[in-house]
Amino acid sequence: MPANKILIVDDEQVIVRLLSMSLKSDGYETFSAFSGEEALDVFKEHAPDIVVTDIKMPGMDGLELLKKIKELDPEKEVIIVTGHGDIDSTITALQFGASDFINKPVRDEALAIALDRAKTKISIREQLASYTHDLEEKVAEATREIRRKSNFQRLLIHSSHDAIVAFDQDWQIVVYNPEAAKIFEKKPGDVLGKMTIDELYTPELAQYFRKEAENKANDRDMPWQEMTLETRSKKKIPVRYATNVLHEKKEFMGIVNFFQDLTEIKRLEKELIQSERMAAVGQTVSGLAHYVKNILIGLKGGSYVVDVGLQNNNMEKLTTGWLTIKKNIKRVADLTQDMLTYSKERKPEAELCFPNEIVDEVVDLVTDFAASHNIHITKICDPELGEMVLDPRTIHRALLNLVNNAIEACLELEEENKKFVVEISTKKGDDGSAVFAVKDNGIGMDEETRTKLFTPMFSSKGGKGTGLGLLVTKKLVEEHGGTIDIDTSLGYGSVFTMRLPEQPGDSRNGNNKG
Amino acid sequence: MSKKVLVVDDDPDVRSFVVTVLEENRYTPLVACDGVEGLEMIQKEKPDLVILDVLMPRGSGIRLYRQLKTDDALKAVPVIMFTGIALRSFLKSQKALEEFKGEKVPEPDIYLEKPVEPQELVDAIKKKI
Ligand SMILES: Nc1ncnc2c1ncn2[C@@H]1O[C@H](COP(=O)(O)OP(=O)(O)O)[C@@H](O)[C@H]1O
Ligand SMILES: [Mg+2]
């Protein structure tokens, strides 16, 4: 706000009026007083920015007025009008804080200059004041901010879901939040600044963190790790923890431990696994029910045909019916065996055998069936793959499962004139293992089937598949220390590659039966 | 002359069972192993009734059924759906197909869920022919 209000004081009313008129025309707001006493009243009422006063007045003179005004408000500018050569009064006025002097008779220019100077002074003072005020504000704000931050930090530590314990360079505890109190079961009041690491932690744990502090030259924190924390009250708690070793200018400053209580998470994990298992059981049961129903259909149908054969003495019916029954009994037997294999652990029984011969056996088993559906079975056996110590039963069952799937994959692809081929090949792997590949140009798999292959009871074949074949195959192969790889393309076919490492340690005197 | 009944099923066990039931009840059995063969057989032999499996390779039973019901010359042939699939799932896939193809076919005359007693099958056939 520009200084704009001026009080003019003189006992000579003419002078006051003249000055007042001239200042008004310059845009000032003016007030007049004809004595010191009156001036003081006007001053109190209107708080002018600048007072222009004659020095010589009856009653309260200019000097007295100056003194009173400065007492009321030292910021106000007072310009003194003196008679020519009145040095003494001038000096006194200066001592009282007058801001300027003009000589009588007052000339407009001189007054204008004095007023300008006063105004500049006021505005500088105002700027200074606002600047100081700003500065104070800023300092206050910064102080608040710092307080807020440290409060925030305290709150953060206090309300953290992690237990936080920090030690200073003498291993005194300086931070210990409520979560930490929950784990260590000691009140913060009894711990903070009163205990050292050795009184809070077990000796082993204290030792462990002391070592950490020694070993760690920099402040890089270590990744989260898991452990079972033992407290001094012998409670065992599964936790995830992280440690920060603090340094300042290479000087050890302390250490911060963060602990997350995993008890609840572990419990949830267990629950989840349990419920997943239950879901798998549900899926298993319904998949199985379907398959068993199909076997039942076969058995019922077969026994009816046998009944008719017996009644009519019809040998042909008897044979057909009996074959149906036998086939379905075999399906039950296979299913049972698959389930047992899947549910029981089994050590491979390795013996000397010729992998290529096992391929021959499997091919013999499926060729007729495949041929009756226009599927050609070929084998490419690597002569390098000689006698090896492997479990022939693992190879036999795994291969048979893979080949059956390959044949079924061809049956599923409904392409009239396609020449379906299932190719079984062997070779000696670089690491000496036996490698078997079963390749078909059947239906192949989409991404979903591909990912579900090994889930128990997953079958895309409705009641005609158990969804156990690959599961059992994988289990047998893994028990043998081997692997299965799959390469597939929907509509074009698949390759299943099985690698079996030679079994070490087994006697090489087993007979070669397959 | 005995009536001709065609059984279309890819499972030889089911075929021999149905054939035996048919023979025992003085029908003339005809067999087909998949949908394509089934359609050929129907066109050639004009059976009086078709017993149709749903899940088969080479043109499923669903496809064959739709072919029959949308062919003016064949739509009158009664069809018994004979399958291990629950009727509910069958109707669901029918509905999906209808929406997809925009044509509606009548529900099968009779829907039998395997396994069935021979007498049930005979009763079902007798209802139609
Ligand atoms: N060679 C293959 N080509 C295409 N799909 C296959 C092949 N092998 C396995 N699958 C898929 O994996 C599923 C699971 O196979 P498997 O465990 O042997 O059970 P099942 O043969 O009884 O269905 C099959 O239903 C099929 O969808
Ligand atoms: Mg299989």
Side-chain angles (χ1 to χ4, degrees), chain A residues 18-84:
Chain A
L18 262 171
L19 280 179
S20 176
M21 257 163 58
S22 126
L23 287 177
K24 259 189 189 137
S25 71
D26 283 345
Y28 290 101
E29 189 182 349
T30 60
F31 303 92
S32 345
F34 307 114
S35 69
E37 290 80 2
E38 194 192 347
L40 215 51
D41 290 340
V42 177
F43 180 84
K44 282 179 190 157
E45 195 186 333
H46 295 287
D49 305 297
I50 302 169
V51 180
V52 181
T53 179
D54 189 11
I55 198 161
K56 282 211 188 92
M57 288 183 295
M60 184 190 290
D61 68 0
L63 283 178
E64 193 64 26
L65 179 63
L66 168 66
K67 233 160 69 184
K68 287 257 158 61
I69 285 175
K70 285 288 169 182
E71 270 165 26
L72 284 172
D73 188 345
E75 306 273 272
K76 298 294 179 192
E77 296 298 321
V78 181
I79 299 170
I80 304 288
V81 183
T82 58
H84 212 65

Side-chain angles (χ1 to χ4, degrees), chain A residues 20 40 49 97 112 122 137 165 183 258 267 297 305 324 397 414 469 489 492 501:
Chain A
S20 176
L40 215 51
D49 305 297
I122 289 173
E137 258 300 292
V165 185
I183 288 188
F258 302 86
R267 193 182 63 74
I297 293 168
V305 176
T324 301
R397 286 194 61 196
E414 301 187 349
S489 163
Y492 293 95

Side-chain angles (χ1 to χ4, degrees), chain A residues 460-487:
Chain A
S460 57
K461 297 163 191 166
K464 285 169 190 154
T466 58
L468 274 174
L470 281 180
L471 204 63
V472 166
T473 305
K474 186 175 172 217
K475 182 168 176 286
L476 288 171
V477 169
E478 280 175 358
E479 279 167 349
H480 204 292
T483 56
I484 295 184
D485 291 310
I486 298 141
D487 190 9

Side-chain angles (χ1 to χ4, degrees), chain B:
Chain B
M1 201 186 96
S2 88
K3 304 227 158 133
K4 288 193 276 191
V5 176
L6 171 67
V7 45
V8 190
D9 203 308
D10 63 324
D11 186 343
D13 297 346
V14 174
R15 287 200 303 265
S16 69
F17 167 71
V18 177
V19 165
T20 309
V21 173
L22 292 172
E23 286 168 352
E24 286 300 290
N25 291 277
R26 295 197 182 70
Y27 296 103
T28 305
L30 302 166
V31 292
C33 303
D34 57 48
V36 176
E37 220 180 283
L39 189 62
E40 280 168 14
M41 203 72 151
I42 294 165
Q43 282 160 344
K44 206 170 78 192
E45 300 280 345
K46 301 274 172 332
D48 298 285
L49 182 135
V50 179
I51 298 175
L52 188 55
D53 184 21
V54 173
L55 277 185
M56 287 184 300
R58 287 227 300 161
S60 72
I62 294 180
R63 191 191 316 162
L64 178 53
Y65 177 74
R66 298 186 72 86
Q67 281 166 343
L68 288 183
K69 291 300 162 187
T70 49
D71 184 327
D72 286 336
L74 303 173
K75 65 162 57 140
V77 182
V79 175
I80 294 177
M81 279 289 174
F82 187 52
T83 169
I85 290 188
L87 176 61
R88 193 163 22 93
S89 326
F90 173 76
L91 292 179
K92 219 166 95 186
S93 78
Q94 273 300 94
K95 245 187 104 192
L97 265 175
E98 262 157 30
E99 273 159 25
F100 179 64
K101 298 212 165 164
E103 56 178 17
K104 209 173 153 59
V105 295
E107 274 180 31
D109 303 289
I110 295 178
Y111 196 98
L112 282 183
E113 211 177 308
K114 297 173 193 171
V116 295
E117 295 299 327
Q119 197 53 47
E120 276 179 77
L121 184 56
V122 175
D123 291 346
I125 298 169
K126 280 198 178 140
K127 251 191 226 166
K128 286 290 150 187
I129 54 177

Side-chain angles (χ1 to χ4, degrees), chain A residues 400-402 404-406 408 459 461 464-470 473:
Chain A
L400 191 59
N401 275 336
L402 295 181
N404 275 333
N405 277 345
E408 284 155 7
S459 175
K461 297 163 191 166
K464 285 169 190 154
T466 58
L468 274 174
L470 281 180
T473 305

Side-chain angles (χ1 to χ4, degrees), chain A residues 345-358:
Chain A
E345 263 187 47
R346 173 183 176 275
K347 271 223 186 87
E349 291 162 23
E351 56 191 59
L352 270 178
C353 61
F354 287 95
N356 288 342
E357 281 180 8
I358 303 169

